[in-house]
Amino acid sequence: MRWARRSAWLLGAATLVIAAAGLALMAWDWSTPVPKGYFGIRGFAGLYAVGFGGVGALMTWRRPGHLVGWILAVVGLVEALDFVTFEYGLAGSAGRGLPGSGYAGWVQLWIWVPFVALVAVYLVLLFPDGRVSSPRWRPVSWLACGCAVIAAAGLAFSPGSEGPNLPGLSNPFGVAPAEVPFDAAVAGLAGLVCCAVLAVWSLVARGRR
């Protein structure tokens, strides 16, 4: 339990440090406008990082063996990485001379997939006690993991620009033909949506029981 609590606080501290770095980059490069296709409000990923990471740290401190707390803590870390890589890539696309901005922007192509999988599937599937309601729901967690990996890999290797968030950067790991990674991403995302529906179904069944 002591090791788990220390790991939880280290994870929370890493989340705060990375989110702070993203905030510093945003303040430094605030004059650069976000692309028209950008989804959401600039800086919202940092708020998600602090919110999810803070609640996750508190839960894992009180209940180190509770998987819901760990899921929230990992979601906070993912959102912190989303925040800092977007701001770094945006500054690089504006000609700030930052090294490796294309690789930071590459993370933007797929970083949202684990966020969706953790929140829409695993958090729902394991709520509220951190365990699946019955062994028959375990294949849903395995399928969601496989679909998330396939979707993230398909997006990560799609050639062209780095999505609507950073259209000024090109994917350094894009492969041809483009249809192969695109079809993989579509298949993985479709499977992830099905897993999310099944997770909601399991929560309803748990509530009725």
Side-chain angles (χ1 to χ4, degrees):
M1 291 299 107
R2 184 179 301 174
W3 177 86
R5 288 191 176 98
R6 289 178 179 175
S7 300
W9 280 112
L10 286 175
L11 185 61
T15 300
L16 290 178
V17 170
I18 296 173
L23 181 61
L25 284 169
M26 184 177 69
W28 173 64
D29 195 48
W30 182 254
S31 60
T32 300
V34 296
K36 293 183 179 180
Y38 179 72
F39 177 77
I41 302 172
R42 186 175 182 180
F44 78 101
L47 295 177
Y48 281 176
V50 174
F52 280 105
V55 175
L58 289 175
M59 287 189 64
T60 49
W61 173 257
R62 297 287 296 178
R63 299 284 298 278
H66 204 298
L67 286 180
V68 171
W70 287 102
I71 290 174
L72 294 176
V74 173
V75 168
L77 181 61
V78 169
E79 284 301 282
L81 292 172
D82 183 11
F83 184 33
V84 73
T85 53
F86 170 74
E87 293 298 335
Y88 194 91
L90 181 63
S93 65
R96 302 291 188 184
L98 296 178
S101 58
Y103 299 101
W106 170 76
V107 177
Q108 288 292 299
L109 290 172
W110 56 267
I111 192 70
W112 58 274
V113 175
F115 171 78
V116 171
L118 289 170
V119 173
V121 179
Y122 289 99
L123 186 60
V124 179
L125 190 65
L126 300 177
F127 185 84
D129 58 359
R131 296 186 295 270
V132 292
S133 57
S134 66
R136 66 177 180 175
W137 294 106
R138 288 175 184 167
V140 177
S141 64
W142 304 335
L143 180 61
C145 180
C147 290
V149 171
I150 292 173
L155 293 170
F157 295 108
S158 295
S161 65
E162 295 186 337
N165 287 354
L166 297 170
L169 299 176
S170 297
N171 185 1
F173 300 110
V175 298
E179 291 79 8
V180 174
F182 178 78
D183 292 342
V186 171
L189 292 175
L192 204 57
V193 170
C194 294
C195 291
V197 173
L198 291 173
V200 172
W201 184 11
S202 74
L203 184 62
V204 172
R206 186 198 298 257
R208 291 182 62 185
R209 186 168 62 248

